[in-house]
Short mmCIF file of all heavy atoms in Angstrom, two decimals:
data_model
loop_
_atom_site.label_atom_id
_atom_site.label_comp_id
_atom_site.label_asym_id
_atom_site.label_seq_id
_atom_site.Cartn_x
_atom_site.Cartn_y
_atom_site.Cartn_z
N VAL A 78 111.32 -125.89 194.94
CA VAL A 78 112.10 -124.71 195.30
C VAL A 78 112.38 -124.70 196.80
O VAL A 78 113.50 -124.43 197.25
CB VAL A 78 111.36 -123.42 194.89
CG1 VAL A 78 112.08 -122.19 195.42
CG2 VAL A 78 111.24 -123.35 193.37
N ILE A 79 111.35 -125.00 197.58
CA ILE A 79 111.50 -125.02 199.04
C ILE A 79 112.52 -126.07 199.47
O ILE A 79 113.40 -125.82 200.31
CB ILE A 79 110.14 -125.28 199.71
CG1 ILE A 79 109.20 -124.09 199.48
CG2 ILE A 79 110.31 -125.54 201.20
CD1 ILE A 79 107.77 -124.35 199.89
N GLU A 80 112.43 -127.26 198.88
CA GLU A 80 113.35 -128.34 199.25
C GLU A 80 114.79 -127.98 198.91
O GLU A 80 115.72 -128.28 199.68
CB GLU A 80 112.94 -129.62 198.53
CG GLU A 80 111.63 -130.22 199.04
CD GLU A 80 111.16 -131.37 198.17
OE1 GLU A 80 111.81 -131.65 197.15
OE2 GLU A 80 110.13 -131.98 198.52
N PHE A 81 114.99 -127.36 197.75
CA PHE A 81 116.34 -126.98 197.36
C PHE A 81 116.88 -125.90 198.29
O PHE A 81 118.05 -125.93 198.69
CB PHE A 81 116.34 -126.49 195.91
CG PHE A 81 117.71 -126.32 195.31
CD1 PHE A 81 118.77 -127.13 195.69
CD2 PHE A 81 117.93 -125.33 194.37
CE1 PHE A 81 120.03 -126.97 195.12
CE2 PHE A 81 119.19 -125.15 193.80
CZ PHE A 81 120.25 -125.98 194.18
N ALA A 82 116.04 -124.93 198.63
CA ALA A 82 116.46 -123.87 199.56
C ALA A 82 116.85 -124.44 200.91
O ALA A 82 117.84 -124.02 201.53
CB ALA A 82 115.35 -122.83 199.71
N ARG A 83 116.10 -125.42 201.36
CA ARG A 83 116.41 -126.06 202.65
C ARG A 83 117.74 -126.80 202.58
O ARG A 83 118.53 -126.78 203.53
CB ARG A 83 115.29 -127.01 203.05
CG ARG A 83 114.04 -126.30 203.57
CD ARG A 83 112.92 -127.27 203.84
NE ARG A 83 111.78 -126.61 204.48
CZ ARG A 83 110.56 -127.13 204.57
NH1 ARG A 83 110.32 -128.34 204.06
NH2 ARG A 83 109.59 -126.47 205.16
N LEU A 84 117.98 -127.48 201.47
CA LEU A 84 119.25 -128.20 201.31
C LEU A 84 120.42 -127.22 201.36
O LEU A 84 121.40 -127.45 202.07
CB LEU A 84 119.26 -128.96 199.98
CG LEU A 84 120.56 -129.73 199.68
CD1 LEU A 84 120.66 -130.96 200.57
CD2 LEU A 84 120.63 -130.13 198.21
N VAL A 85 120.31 -126.14 200.60
CA VAL A 85 121.40 -125.16 200.55
C VAL A 85 121.62 -124.51 201.91
O VAL A 85 122.75 -124.29 202.33
CB VAL A 85 121.10 -124.08 199.49
CG1 VAL A 85 122.13 -122.97 199.54
CG2 VAL A 85 121.05 -124.69 198.09
N THR A 86 120.54 -124.24 202.62
CA THR A 86 120.63 -123.49 203.87
C THR A 86 120.98 -124.37 205.06
O THR A 86 121.79 -123.96 205.92
CB THR A 86 119.30 -122.77 204.15
OG1 THR A 86 118.98 -121.94 203.03
CG2 THR A 86 119.40 -121.91 205.40
N ASN A 87 120.40 -125.56 205.14
CA ASN A 87 120.45 -126.32 206.39
C ASN A 87 121.31 -127.58 206.36
O ASN A 87 121.76 -128.04 207.42
CB ASN A 87 119.03 -126.72 206.81
CG ASN A 87 118.14 -125.52 207.05
OD1 ASN A 87 118.60 -124.50 207.56
ND2 ASN A 87 116.87 -125.63 206.70
N ALA A 88 121.55 -128.16 205.19
CA ALA A 88 122.26 -129.44 205.13
C ALA A 88 123.73 -129.27 205.52
O ALA A 88 124.35 -128.24 205.22
CB ALA A 88 122.15 -130.04 203.74
N ASP A 89 124.28 -130.31 206.17
CA ASP A 89 125.72 -130.26 206.42
C ASP A 89 126.45 -130.55 205.11
O ASP A 89 125.83 -130.87 204.08
CB ASP A 89 126.13 -131.25 207.51
CG ASP A 89 125.79 -132.71 207.19
OD1 ASP A 89 125.73 -133.07 205.99
OD2 ASP A 89 125.59 -133.49 208.13
N ASP A 90 127.76 -130.43 205.12
CA ASP A 90 128.53 -130.53 203.88
C ASP A 90 128.38 -131.90 203.22
O ASP A 90 128.32 -132.00 201.99
CB ASP A 90 130.01 -130.24 204.14
CG ASP A 90 130.26 -128.77 204.45
OD1 ASP A 90 129.36 -127.95 204.20
OD2 ASP A 90 131.36 -128.46 204.95
N SER A 91 128.32 -132.94 204.01
CA SER A 91 128.21 -134.29 203.46
C SER A 91 126.88 -134.48 202.74
O SER A 91 126.84 -134.98 201.61
CB SER A 91 128.37 -135.32 204.58
OG SER A 91 128.20 -136.63 204.07
N GLU A 92 125.78 -134.11 203.39
CA GLU A 92 124.47 -134.25 202.77
C GLU A 92 124.35 -133.34 201.55
O GLU A 92 123.79 -133.73 200.52
CB GLU A 92 123.37 -133.91 203.77
CG GLU A 92 121.96 -134.07 203.17
CD GLU A 92 120.87 -133.60 204.11
OE1 GLU A 92 121.18 -133.08 205.21
OE2 GLU A 92 119.67 -133.72 203.72
N PHE A 93 124.88 -132.13 201.66
CA PHE A 93 124.80 -131.20 200.54
C PHE A 93 125.51 -131.77 199.32
O PHE A 93 124.97 -131.74 198.20
CB PHE A 93 125.43 -129.86 200.93
CG PHE A 93 125.40 -128.84 199.84
CD1 PHE A 93 124.24 -128.12 199.57
CD2 PHE A 93 126.52 -128.59 199.06
CE1 PHE A 93 124.20 -127.17 198.55
CE2 PHE A 93 126.50 -127.65 198.04
CZ PHE A 93 125.34 -126.95 197.78
N ALA A 94 126.70 -132.30 199.50
CA ALA A 94 127.45 -132.86 198.37
C ALA A 94 126.74 -134.07 197.78
O ALA A 94 126.71 -134.25 196.55
CB ALA A 94 128.86 -133.25 198.83
N ARG A 95 126.16 -134.89 198.64
CA ARG A 95 125.51 -136.11 198.18
C ARG A 95 124.23 -135.82 197.41
O ARG A 95 123.94 -136.44 196.38
CB ARG A 95 125.21 -137.01 199.39
CG ARG A 95 124.45 -138.29 199.05
CD ARG A 95 124.31 -139.18 200.27
NE ARG A 95 123.76 -138.49 201.41
CZ ARG A 95 122.45 -138.30 201.62
NH1 ARG A 95 121.57 -138.75 200.71
NH2 ARG A 95 122.02 -137.69 202.70
N ARG A 96 123.46 -134.85 197.86
CA ARG A 96 122.15 -134.60 197.27
C ARG A 96 122.13 -133.50 196.22
O ARG A 96 121.12 -133.32 195.53
CB ARG A 96 121.16 -134.26 198.39
CG ARG A 96 120.95 -135.38 199.42
CD ARG A 96 119.77 -135.07 200.30
NE ARG A 96 118.52 -135.01 199.52
CZ ARG A 96 117.42 -134.40 199.94
NH1 ARG A 96 117.40 -133.78 201.11
NH2 ARG A 96 116.33 -134.38 199.18
N LEU A 97 123.22 -132.77 196.08
CA LEU A 97 123.25 -131.67 195.11
C LEU A 97 122.84 -132.11 193.71
O LEU A 97 122.05 -131.42 193.05
CB LEU A 97 124.64 -131.02 195.10
CG LEU A 97 124.80 -129.81 194.19
CD1 LEU A 97 123.91 -128.65 194.66
CD2 LEU A 97 126.26 -129.38 194.14
N PRO A 98 123.34 -133.23 193.19
CA PRO A 98 122.94 -133.63 191.83
C PRO A 98 121.46 -133.96 191.68
O PRO A 98 120.95 -134.03 190.55
CB PRO A 98 123.81 -134.88 191.56
CG PRO A 98 124.96 -134.77 192.50
CD PRO A 98 124.39 -134.12 193.72
N GLU A 99 120.76 -134.17 192.79
CA GLU A 99 119.31 -134.39 192.71
C GLU A 99 118.59 -133.12 192.27
O GLU A 99 117.52 -133.18 191.65
CB GLU A 99 118.76 -134.83 194.07
CG GLU A 99 119.28 -136.16 194.59
CD GLU A 99 118.73 -136.45 195.97
OE1 GLU A 99 117.68 -135.84 196.34
OE2 GLU A 99 119.34 -137.24 196.71
N PHE A 100 119.16 -131.98 192.62
CA PHE A 100 118.48 -130.70 192.40
C PHE A 100 119.12 -129.85 191.31
O PHE A 100 118.42 -129.07 190.66
CB PHE A 100 118.48 -129.89 193.71
CG PHE A 100 117.61 -130.45 194.78
CD1 PHE A 100 118.11 -131.37 195.70
CD2 PHE A 100 116.28 -130.08 194.89
CE1 PHE A 100 117.30 -131.88 196.71
CE2 PHE A 100 115.47 -130.58 195.88
CZ PHE A 100 115.98 -131.50 196.79
N LEU A 101 120.41 -129.96 191.12
CA LEU A 101 121.14 -129.05 190.23
C LEU A 101 121.65 -129.80 189.01
O LEU A 101 122.21 -130.89 189.12
CB LEU A 101 122.33 -128.44 190.99
CG LEU A 101 123.18 -127.43 190.22
CD1 LEU A 101 122.40 -126.15 189.94
CD2 LEU A 101 124.47 -127.12 191.00
N ASP A 102 121.46 -129.19 187.84
CA ASP A 102 122.08 -129.69 186.62
C ASP A 102 123.57 -129.34 186.71
O ASP A 102 123.98 -128.23 186.35
CB ASP A 102 121.44 -129.05 185.39
CG ASP A 102 121.95 -129.64 184.09
OD1 ASP A 102 123.11 -130.07 184.04
OD2 ASP A 102 121.17 -129.65 183.11
N VAL A 103 124.35 -130.26 187.23
CA VAL A 103 125.74 -129.98 187.58
C VAL A 103 126.57 -129.59 186.36
O VAL A 103 127.35 -128.63 186.41
CB VAL A 103 126.36 -131.19 188.32
CG1 VAL A 103 127.85 -130.95 188.55
CG2 VAL A 103 125.65 -131.43 189.64
N ASP A 104 126.42 -130.33 185.27
CA ASP A 104 127.21 -130.01 184.07
C ASP A 104 126.90 -128.59 183.57
O ASP A 104 127.81 -127.84 183.22
CB ASP A 104 126.92 -131.02 182.96
CG ASP A 104 127.51 -132.38 183.24
OD1 ASP A 104 128.41 -132.46 184.10
OD2 ASP A 104 127.08 -133.36 182.62
N GLU A 105 125.62 -128.26 183.52
CA GLU A 105 125.24 -126.94 183.03
C GLU A 105 125.74 -125.83 183.97
O GLU A 105 126.24 -124.80 183.52
CB GLU A 105 123.73 -126.85 182.87
CG GLU A 105 123.26 -125.51 182.32
CD GLU A 105 121.75 -125.42 182.24
OE1 GLU A 105 121.12 -125.27 183.30
OE2 GLU A 105 121.22 -125.50 181.13
N PHE A 106 125.60 -126.05 185.26
CA PHE A 106 126.05 -125.02 186.20
C PHE A 106 127.56 -124.86 186.16
O PHE A 106 128.08 -123.75 186.28
CB PHE A 106 125.59 -125.35 187.63
CG PHE A 106 125.90 -124.27 188.62
CD1 PHE A 106 125.27 -123.03 188.53
CD2 PHE A 106 126.82 -124.48 189.62
CE1 PHE A 106 125.55 -122.03 189.43
CE2 PHE A 106 127.12 -123.47 190.54
CZ PHE A 106 126.48 -122.25 190.45
N ALA A 107 128.28 -125.96 185.99
CA ALA A 107 129.74 -125.87 185.86
C ALA A 107 130.12 -125.05 184.64
O ALA A 107 131.06 -124.24 184.69
CB ALA A 107 130.34 -127.27 185.77
N ALA A 108 129.40 -125.23 183.53
CA ALA A 108 129.67 -124.44 182.33
C ALA A 108 129.29 -122.98 182.55
O ALA A 108 129.99 -122.06 182.08
CB ALA A 108 128.91 -125.02 181.14
N PHE A 109 128.19 -122.76 183.25
CA PHE A 109 127.74 -121.40 183.57
C PHE A 109 128.80 -120.65 184.37
O PHE A 109 129.18 -119.52 184.05
CB PHE A 109 126.43 -121.49 184.35
CG PHE A 109 125.91 -120.19 184.91
CD1 PHE A 109 125.12 -119.35 184.14
CD2 PHE A 109 126.18 -119.83 186.22
CE1 PHE A 109 124.63 -118.16 184.66
CE2 PHE A 109 125.69 -118.64 186.75
CZ PHE A 109 124.91 -117.81 185.97
N VAL A 110 129.32 -121.29 185.42
CA VAL A 110 130.35 -120.65 186.24
C VAL A 110 131.64 -120.48 185.46
O VAL A 110 132.28 -119.43 185.50
CB VAL A 110 130.60 -121.47 187.53
CG1 VAL A 110 131.75 -120.86 188.33
CG2 VAL A 110 129.34 -121.53 188.38
N ALA A 111 132.03 -121.52 184.71
CA ALA A 111 133.27 -121.44 183.93
C ALA A 111 133.22 -120.29 182.93
O ALA A 111 134.23 -119.58 182.74
CB ALA A 111 133.53 -122.77 183.22
N GLY A 112 132.08 -120.10 182.29
CA GLY A 112 131.95 -119.00 181.35
C GLY A 112 132.14 -117.65 182.01
O GLY A 112 132.86 -116.79 181.50
N HIS A 113 131.50 -117.46 183.16
CA HIS A 113 131.65 -116.20 183.89
C HIS A 113 133.10 -116.00 184.34
O HIS A 113 133.63 -114.88 184.29
CB HIS A 113 130.73 -116.19 185.11
CG HIS A 113 129.31 -115.83 184.80
ND1 HIS A 113 128.47 -116.67 184.12
CD2 HIS A 113 128.59 -114.72 185.08
CE1 HIS A 113 127.27 -116.09 183.99
NE2 HIS A 113 127.33 -114.92 184.56
N VAL A 114 133.72 -117.07 184.78
CA VAL A 114 135.09 -116.99 185.29
C VAL A 114 136.07 -116.65 184.17
O VAL A 114 136.94 -115.79 184.32
CB VAL A 114 135.48 -118.29 186.00
CG1 VAL A 114 136.98 -118.37 186.24
CG2 VAL A 114 134.73 -118.42 187.32
N LEU A 115 135.95 -117.32 183.04
CA LEU A 115 136.86 -117.05 181.92
C LEU A 115 136.72 -115.61 181.44
O LEU A 115 137.72 -114.97 181.09
CB LEU A 115 136.58 -118.01 180.77
CG LEU A 115 137.04 -119.45 180.95
CD1 LEU A 115 136.54 -120.32 179.81
CD2 LEU A 115 138.57 -119.52 181.04
N LEU A 116 135.50 -115.11 181.43
CA LEU A 116 135.25 -113.75 180.94
C LEU A 116 135.41 -112.68 182.02
O LEU A 116 135.22 -111.50 181.74
CB LEU A 116 133.83 -113.66 180.36
CG LEU A 116 133.53 -114.55 179.16
CD1 LEU A 116 132.07 -114.42 178.76
CD2 LEU A 116 134.42 -114.20 178.00
N SER A 117 135.76 -113.11 183.24
CA SER A 117 135.81 -112.17 184.36
C SER A 117 134.59 -111.26 184.33
O SER A 117 134.68 -110.04 184.35
CB SER A 117 137.10 -111.34 184.32
OG SER A 117 138.22 -112.16 184.53
N SER A 118 133.43 -111.89 184.29
CA SER A 118 132.16 -111.19 184.15
C SER A 118 131.61 -110.89 185.55
O SER A 118 131.06 -111.78 186.21
CB SER A 118 131.17 -112.04 183.35
OG SER A 118 129.94 -111.39 183.21
N TYR A 119 131.74 -109.64 185.99
CA TYR A 119 131.39 -109.29 187.36
C TYR A 119 130.15 -108.44 187.51
O TYR A 119 129.80 -108.05 188.62
CB TYR A 119 132.58 -108.61 188.04
CG TYR A 119 133.72 -109.57 188.28
CD1 TYR A 119 134.91 -109.45 187.57
CD2 TYR A 119 133.59 -110.62 189.17
CE1 TYR A 119 135.95 -110.35 187.77
CE2 TYR A 119 134.62 -111.53 189.37
CZ TYR A 119 135.80 -111.38 188.67
OH TYR A 119 136.82 -112.27 188.85
N ASP A 120 129.47 -108.14 186.42
CA ASP A 120 128.20 -107.42 186.54
C ASP A 120 127.08 -108.46 186.57
O ASP A 120 126.21 -108.48 185.71
CB ASP A 120 128.02 -106.46 185.37
CG ASP A 120 126.78 -105.59 185.54
OD1 ASP A 120 126.30 -105.45 186.68
OD2 ASP A 120 126.30 -105.05 184.52
N GLY A 121 127.12 -109.33 187.57
CA GLY A 121 126.15 -110.40 187.62
C GLY A 121 126.43 -111.40 188.72
O GLY A 121 126.77 -111.04 189.84
#
């Protein structure tokens, strides 16, 4: 958790993009965001 928070907070854009898949389930998060976006779900 600490390492991920540091990446999000302190890494420059290049490092963040490169290392994001190490920490985040990209496919699942993309589906999570897409679902909220399609439903215009704003209570969350």
Side-chain angles (χ1 to χ4, degrees):
V78 173
I79 293 170
E80 290 172 357
F81 191 33
R83 285 175 173 165
L84 179 73
V85 173
T86 304
N87 299 324
D89 60 28
D90 289 345
S91 177
E92 181 186 3
F93 180 79
R95 177 175 53 83
R96 298 192 63 200
L97 183 64
E99 296 177 20
F100 291 90
L101 182 68
D102 186 329
V103 174
D104 288 342
E105 182 183 74
F106 186 67
F109 172 86
V110 176
H113 279 71
V114 166
L115 286 172
L116 298 176
S117 294
S118 180
Y119 291 111
D120 186 20

